[in-house]
Amino acid sequence: MDIHKEIDTRGLNCPLPILKAKKALAEMVTGQLLKVVATDTGSMRDFQAFARQTGNELVEQQTQGNEFIHILRRR
């Protein structure tokens, strides 16, 4: 997977990971991939809702230890 941008939101709680992702996506072009690394347990459902509401595609979510990885494709 060709990630175009990665942001680290470890230690931040809702809504900060979403806000940082929204800002990063605004700086990207259609089709590019954004990787978000978070430690907020609620981020799994938050990013699912964010993708539904914004039309950006949630390509993948995974848990690695106490970290949550979200891959979004810019609409």
Side-chain angles (χ1 to χ4, degrees), residues 3-73:
I3 303 296
H4 297 90
K5 189 172 210 171
E6 180 173 339
I7 58 173
D8 180 357
T9 64
R10 286 178 270 222
L12 301 177
N13 292 320
C14 183
L16 290 174
I18 293 290
L19 293 174
K20 288 188 175 285
K22 185 176 181 178
K23 183 176 186 284
L25 285 165
E27 299 167 356
M28 297 169 69
V29 298
T30 300
Q32 288 187 322
L33 294 176
L34 171 67
K35 177 179 180 180
V36 183
V37 181
T39 51
D40 179 11
T41 54
S43 69
M44 294 299 272
R45 71 175 184 286
D46 292 344
F47 275 95
Q48 291 167 10
F50 174 75
R52 275 195 308 274
Q53 293 169 0
T54 63
N56 293 297
E57 179 188 356
L58 185 59
V59 176
E60 185 179 313
Q61 284 186 306
Q62 55 183 268
T63 304
Q64 295 179 348
N66 65 343
E67 294 182 348
F68 305 96
I69 313 297
H70 313 281
I71 310 289
L72 294 147
R73 184 181 315 276

